[in-house]
């Protein structure tokens, strides 16, 4: 099945150094035009280095269209040309646009800005988590998210794993290419280059044309991911030698939600889905988040997918209503969507 019929509108939501950042708004003509609908703000994955706003799970987009929920997917600045601070700034700007401008520009979609679900996969889950923590201090003019939906999220970049060399399953880059890519990064930063990521490949032929994936592999294998997340050379080594607490300064604490986030009972209800055999981002990161939320009384549902790896949902197009206790990926995702409907008062 293809994507259900819909209308896509594209807008510029912010600009940095003459680089426009866009977001796509997916809407349908409402069958019930007088009934306000929840909004999904979708944040793509890609280790904060690659990916694009087009990387929306088919099953999620089809669900949003079928239920007449507007779905918004923005660009955001990525590493290593930018830092995690820039990513957070963009994600919050996109959230503000959704809360303040979506209904003004598209009144036909009947979006309810008091019911924004912030959702993200992998590194997009990190984006969703840090943006929700921003609202731990209420913002008078902008409603807080009504729920979070985190799909195999990166939640714990402060752990030692991300401070040292990481080799992704099946991902390789030859040493000479890695060296050239890493040596070019300081020049990109000095020029003030901005990257918004890159489309994920859909075939082996496309894979050979991609430039961001080898850069991603080189950064992870060199063990400098945290250096570029924080903008501090040698940050990862400081974490390994003295721990995150010794390495992190006050401003950078927002980049490490599990270690420094101020979770409280007002944190939005959260649904987390993670494969138990994830070879890229351990489901243990999700378990740590769920435990922290449970400790402070936040409504949270953790739905593990037995034996599933990272991006286990890539080929799914629909999530039919789950019956019984099936542990098939589509059934687990269907239960997750039902939980979100409850949190969004649908």
């Amino acid at each position: 099945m293809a994507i259900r019929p819909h209308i896509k509108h594209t807008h510029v939501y912010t600009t940095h150094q003459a680089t426009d950042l866009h977001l796509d708004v997916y809407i349908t003509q409402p069958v019930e035009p007088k009934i306000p609908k929840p909004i999904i703000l979708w944040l793509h994955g890609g280790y904060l280095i690659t990916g694009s706003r087009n990387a929306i799970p088919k099953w999620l987009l089809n669900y949003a269209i079928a239920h007449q929920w507007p779905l918004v997917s923005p660009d955001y600045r990525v590493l290593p040309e930018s830092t995690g601070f820039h990513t957070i700034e963009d994600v919050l700007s996109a959230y503000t646009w959704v809360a303040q401008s979506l209904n003004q520009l598209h009144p036909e979609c009947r979006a309810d800005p008091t019911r924004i679900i912030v959702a993200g996969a992998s590194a997009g889950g990190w984006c969703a988590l840090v943006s929700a923590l921003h609202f731990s201090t209420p913002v008078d003019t902008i409603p807080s998210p009504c729920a979070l939906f985190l799909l195999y999220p990166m939640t714990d970049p402060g752990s030692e794993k991300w401070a040292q060399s990481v080799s992704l399953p099946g991902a390789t880059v030859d040493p000479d290419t890695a060296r050239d890519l890493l040596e070019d990064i300081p020049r990109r930063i000095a020029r003030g280059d901005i990257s918004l990521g890159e489309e994920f490949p859909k075939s082996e032929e496309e894979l050979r044309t991609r430039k961001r994936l080898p850069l991603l592999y080189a950064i992870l294998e060199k063990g400098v991911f945290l250096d570029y997340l924080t903008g501090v050379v040698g940050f990862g080594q400081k974490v390994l030698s003295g721990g995150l607490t010794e390495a992190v300064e006050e401003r950078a604490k927002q980049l490490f939600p599990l270690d420094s986030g101020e979770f409280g009972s007002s944190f939005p209800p959260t649904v987390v889905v993670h494969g138990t055999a994830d070879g890229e981002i351990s489901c243990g990161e999700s378990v740590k988040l769920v435990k922290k939320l449970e400790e402070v009384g936040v409504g949270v549902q953790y739905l593990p997918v037995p034996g599933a790896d990272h991006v286990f949902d890539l080929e799914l197009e629909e999530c039919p209503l789950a019956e019984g206790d099936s542990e098939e990926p589509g059934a687990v995702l269907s239960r997750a969507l039902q939980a979100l409907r409850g949190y969004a008062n649908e």
Side-chain angles (χ1 to χ4, degrees):
M1 175 181 176
I3 300 299
R4 294 172 181 267
H6 64 278
I7 303 169
K8 183 174 83 170
H9 302 273
T10 300
H11 301 277
V12 173
Y13 76 91
T14 191
T15 301
H16 298 288
Q17 299 178 18
T19 298
D20 290 336
L21 274 64
H22 297 83
L23 51 73
D24 293 328
V25 179
Y26 296 82
I27 60 176
T28 55
Q29 183 65 39
V31 176
E32 301 170 304
K34 294 183 179 180
I35 300 178
K37 293 295 182 179
I39 308 160
I40 298 177
L41 174 61
W42 172 257
L43 304 167
H44 69 80
Y47 289 89
L48 303 177
I49 294 172
T50 189
S52 82
R53 70 179 192 273
N54 293 322
I56 308 168
K58 295 177 184 177
W59 56 268
L60 180 62
L61 182 53
N62 274 330
Y63 184 88
I65 293 168
H67 290 80
Q68 301 158 34
W69 292 9
L71 186 148
V72 180
S73 182
D75 294 326
Y76 58 78
R77 286 172 289 176
V78 296
L79 317 182
E81 295 87 350
S82 302
T83 67
F85 302 109
H86 299 118
T87 301
I88 294 173
E89 179 185 343
D90 294 341
V91 170
L92 292 175
S93 292
Y95 186 97
T96 300
W97 188 97
V98 170
Q100 296 183 337
S101 299
L102 178 58
N103 263 339
Q104 293 180 9
L105 294 172
H106 297 289
E108 73 277 10
C109 72
R110 297 291 180 176
D112 183 352
T114 69
R115 291 189 290 164
I116 301 174
I117 298 168
V118 184
S122 195
W126 176 87
C127 294
L129 185 58
V130 296
S131 65
L133 282 167
H134 172 78
F135 291 96
S136 59
T137 301
V139 180
D140 292 339
T141 59
I142 302 175
S144 300
C146 75
L148 290 191
F149 181 32
L150 308 180
L151 187 61
Y152 36 84
M154 173 189 284
T155 65
D156 194 18
S159 66
E160 287 192 0
K161 170 182 176 175
W162 301 108
Q164 55 193 319
S165 177
V166 177
S167 295
L168 300 181
T172 58
V173 56
D174 70 82
D176 290 340
T177 299
R179 184 190 63 250
D180 292 344
L181 288 170
L182 292 170
E183 288 180 352
D184 189 46
I185 291 174
R187 291 190 285 270
R188 296 188 197 184
I189 295 173
R191 289 195 303 264
D193 288 1
I194 289 176
S195 176
L196 305 178
E198 185 179 49
E199 297 286 338
F200 289 121
K202 295 182 176 64
S203 65
E204 287 295 324
E205 182 179 358
E206 286 188 4
L207 180 61
R208 291 191 289 270
T209 69
R210 294 302 185 256
K211 298 179 180 180
R212 302 294 295 185
L213 285 174
L215 179 62
L216 163 63
Y217 304 153
I219 287 173
L220 291 180
E221 289 180 3
K222 184 68 174 178
V224 290
F225 175 75
L226 294 187
D227 295 22
Y228 294 117
L229 180 68
T230 61
V232 177
V233 176
F235 188 91
Q237 284 302 311
K238 291 179 182 178
V239 172
L240 291 176
S241 61
L244 180 65
T245 302
E246 293 295 322
V248 70
E249 297 181 355
E250 188 64 30
R251 177 172 179 257
K253 287 182 178 180
Q254 64 182 305
L255 303 174
F256 303 99
L258 286 193
D259 298 279
S260 304
E262 295 183 5
F263 294 91
S265 58
S266 62
F267 192 82
T270 300
V271 178
V272 185
V273 178
H274 211 135
T276 62
D278 195 326
E280 296 191 31
I281 297 176
S282 169
C283 63
E285 294 200 18
S286 286
V287 171
K288 288 175 68 174
L289 171 64
V290 170
K291 182 179 179 181
K292 186 174 284 288
L293 295 179
E294 288 175 340
E295 288 174 349
V296 297
V298 172
V300 58
Q301 295 197 37
Y302 176 49
L303 301 171
V305 185
D309 203 345
H310 207 60
V311 298
F312 65 85
D313 61 315
L314 203 58
E315 301 303 322
L316 288 174
E317 295 188 346
E318 293 278 353
C319 293
L321 186 64
E323 296 183 4
D325 298 322
S326 171
E327 295 181 332
E328 290 297 314
V332 176
L333 290 169
S334 177
R335 287 196 288 274
L337 293 168
Q338 286 295 109
L340 282 178
R341 289 193 69 179
Y343 289 141
N345 296 319
E346 269 286 284

